[in-house]
Amino acid sequence: MLIAIDFDDTLTADPVLWFTFIDVAKRIGHRFVCVTARRDTVENREWIDSWMKERGFDLYTHYTALGSKLDHMERIGVKVDIWIDDDPRKCALGH
């Protein structure tokens, strides 16, 4: 199962909880990606990569430039099975 988790106010809200959850889920075969509405800029990539590295996360991050996360992932041909996001509207079509 592919699980997409938001960065701001989701992953960052409780890194210990999410690290533990992701670690256990990966051990039983689930896959994870981070999907953020942030723009794909050098600054955002450096900040998110640094934040994740400092906390032990190993997640590929997709940037949607404020667009719909669902639209973005479908456009690149990635089917997400479960979304974890503090604002589910951002995971809707056409958001």
Side-chain angles (χ1 to χ4, degrees), residues 2-7 32-40 45 48-49 52 59-69 72-74 76-80 83:
L2 179 63
I3 302 168
I5 187 165
D6 173 48
F7 184 73
F32 284 82
V33 292
C34 179
V35 183
T36 180
R38 288 183 183 221
R39 288 182 171 85
D40 188 2
R45 280 188 176 272
I48 289 175
D49 289 349
M52 286 197 193
L59 299 174
Y60 183 83
T61 303
H62 295 272
Y63 297 81
T64 69
L66 305 177
S68 162
K69 294 174 182 180
H72 174 81
M73 297 305 279
E74 285 184 350
I76 64 170
V78 177
K79 183 192 177 303
V80 172
W83 294 91

Side-chain angles (χ1 to χ4, degrees), residues 41-72:
T41 65
V42 171
E43 295 81 14
N44 281 335
R45 280 188 176 272
E46 287 176 351
W47 184 166
I48 289 175
D49 289 349
S50 173
W51 187 94
M52 286 197 193
K53 185 175 181 180
E54 287 173 12
R55 288 157 183 84
F57 287 94
D58 181 23
L59 299 174
Y60 183 83
T61 303
H62 295 272
Y63 297 81
T64 69
L66 305 177
S68 162
K69 294 174 182 180
L70 180 61
D71 288 346
H72 174 81

Side-chain angles (χ1 to χ4, degrees), residues 8 13 19 21 30 33 46 53 56 60 65 80 82 85 89 93:
D8 294 294
F19 181 86
F21 174 76
H30 300 292
V33 292
E46 287 176 351
K53 185 175 181 180
Y60 183 83
V80 172
I82 294 177
D85 202 296
R89 295 171 297 166
L93 286 171

